[in-house]
Amino acid sequence: MAQMMGSHGTMSERPPDVKEIDILWITAGLGCDGDSVSITAATQPSIEDVVMGAIPGLPKVNLHNPVLAYEVGDDFMKYWYQAAEGKLDPFVLVVEGSIPNEHLSGEGYWAALGTNDLTGQPITTCEWIDRLAPKAVAVVAAGTCATYGGIHAMAGNPTGCMGLADYLGWGWKSKAGLPIVNVPGCPVQPDNFMETLLYLLYQVAGLAPMIPLDDQLRPTWLFGKTVHEGCDRAGYYEQGEFATEYGSPKCIVKLGCWGPVVQCNVPKRGWMAGIGGCPNVGGICIGCTMPGFPDKFMPFMDEPPGGKFSSTAVSAYGTVIRSLRKFTNATLNKEPKWRHNGPTLTTGYGEGVNMGTSTSGKLPNS
């Protein structure tokens, strides 16, 4: 039994294929570090559980994230240089922020991390991706900026920025044969990212099968359903009841919500500890997990074009359905007539029989 115990005193079916793994998390894309901040709220699992060895079966995990690390300067950057030289293996590369097009940067650069010792010049984010992605066992894009370009990639931007799959190629695979894994969200939902990261760590450890992804490289179990399918307000939509102002519990499609066509699990999962999430707290869905965000969802506060047609069509249907349901509800809110304290049984079993006892102590008609 002692041989089956992990290094942190936890029991697993078999030891992981690797004893230790590093996570290199680059936040030097075009972004706000919001995804790094977001994952500090995760609980399923928490980042602390992963790095402190509280998850059974995982190898020892070392996280290198500039927002969360206590190391600074060369003490922090040494892991990046080691990985680029092939001296840090295995590792998972996490990219946060849009990938700028350095072909368009002129004499300068758009984004960088660290300094090249030989030239004294900054090492661009694109150069880090070129160096590290081929050596990583898995590559993850955290948040919509890294997955599809996000806000920075909207029409009129000067950087020509894009998502990680646009940069590396949608058919790109890591040296372990894994495609890029996209976990979108602006910012990423904390538990969605940590659950995906945990899955990949288990896969690298040889304890999980290939991660299932959709055609946009999102985990299927997280992004397989629409906001509408998991929304508490969906019943109002079916009944043709729509909010005309904020603060109403009714469906908010007419206020600009794109939930019926956006793939996201936030209404079911919530945001922190199952609480919150855009429509759960009265906010419209603006499609931030979708590749077409933000351009195809603007202006945000206008009713979606498809929403005009569908809400009009469902209103007539909903009026009839509401009437029928009110009638059925009124019927179901009344107890059956045979529930009474009278001497006669009226349930249909021996209908009309007086159930009082006779002077002989026997039931009538017995």
Side-chain angles (χ1 to χ4, degrees):
M1 178 176 289
Q3 294 178 345
M4 295 296 290
M5 297 296 289
S7 59
H8 302 283
T10 54
M11 180 69 74
S12 61
E13 293 183 0
R14 69 173 181 82
D17 290 346
V18 295
K19 293 183 178 180
E20 190 168 350
I21 188 168
D22 290 80
I23 299 172
L24 295 181
W25 187 315
I26 185 169
T27 62
L30 305 182
C32 63
D33 295 341
D35 303 300
S36 291
V37 174
S38 179
I39 62 104
T40 63
T43 57
Q44 297 178 326
S46 69
I47 189 67
E48 296 89 344
D49 287 342
V50 171
V51 300
M52 296 299 290
I55 309 292
L58 282 190
K60 177 176 171 52
V61 177
N62 305 308
L63 175 66
H64 311 288
N65 178 309
V67 179
L68 305 177
Y70 59 84
E71 304 104 327
V72 295
D74 291 340
D75 288 336
F76 175 76
M77 290 303 303
K78 65 182 180 182
Y79 303 105
W80 300 81
Y81 298 128
Q82 288 172 6
E85 294 168 3
K87 298 176 181 178
L88 193 71
D89 186 60
F91 70 90
V92 173
L93 177 63
V94 177
V95 179
E96 177 177 350
S98 310
I99 316 304
N101 186 341
E102 292 293 353
H103 297 296
L104 307 177
S105 59
E107 297 180 359
Y109 62 91
W110 295 119
L113 174 69
T115 305
N116 188 313
D117 289 337
L118 298 177
T119 65
Q121 295 298 308
I123 302 174
T124 67
T125 300
C126 292
E127 186 175 347
W128 276 120
I129 294 172
D130 294 340
R131 290 184 185 185
L132 298 177
K135 295 179 172 65
V137 292
V139 176
V140 188
T144 301
C145 291
T147 54
Y148 309 123
I151 294 290
H152 311 92
M154 65 189 300
N157 84 85
T159 65
C161 64
M162 64 202 84
L164 186 59
D166 299 316
Y167 181 79
L168 288 176
W170 283 85
W172 185 91
K173 286 193 168 75
S174 73
K175 70 177 187 178
L178 278 71
I180 297 167
V181 177
N182 285 335
V183 192
C186 190
V188 69
Q189 201 280 347
D191 291 316
N192 278 355
F193 183 82
M194 288 306 301
E195 187 175 307
T196 302
L197 183 62
L198 179 63
Y199 190 108
L200 288 171
L201 291 173
Y202 270 129
Q203 186 173 339
V204 171
L207 300 174
M210 178 64 71
I211 185 169
L213 305 174
D214 66 14
D215 57 357
Q216 297 300 319
L217 304 178
R218 298 168 292 204
T220 54
W221 76 93
L222 298 175
F223 296 95
K225 300 292 183 182
T226 65
V227 169
H228 183 76
E229 289 173 301
C231 184
D232 289 342
R233 301 168 182 267
Y236 288 104
Y237 180 96
E238 180 197 19
Q239 295 182 165
E241 296 181 283
F242 300 97
T244 56
E245 60 183 5
Y246 287 99
S248 169
K250 297 179 181 180
C251 178
I252 49 179
V253 162
K254 286 184 173 293
L255 300 181
C257 184
W258 286 82
V261 293
V262 170
Q263 291 161 256
C264 180
N265 66 345
V266 161
K268 276 189 172 295
R269 185 155 220 171
W271 198 260
M272 294 173 62
I275 309 289
C278 309
N280 296 345
V281 295
I284 61 173
C285 171
I286 59 174
C288 75
T289 59
M290 302 294 281
F293 177 81
D295 301 78
K296 294 184 178 181
F297 297 91
M298 296 173 66
F300 291 138
M301 312 305 286
D302 286 2
E303 182 180 359
K308 295 178 185 290
F309 174 78
S310 62
S311 60
T312 301
V314 80
S315 292
Y317 165 83
T319 301
V320 176
I321 291 298
R322 287 201 308 275
S323 299
L324 292 174
R325 285 177 176 170
K326 285 180 180 179
F327 173 78
T328 303
N329 178 259
T331 301
L332 299 177
N333 261 323
K334 297 177 182 177
E335 288 193 50
K337 61 182 181 181
W338 59 79
R339 296 176 186 172
H340 56 75
N341 197 30
T344 303
L345 181 67
T346 58
T347 66
Y349 178 83
E351 186 74 31
V353 174
N354 187 312
M355 297 299 289
T357 56
S358 66
T359 54
S360 63
K362 296 181 180 180
L363 292 176
N365 302 325
S366 62

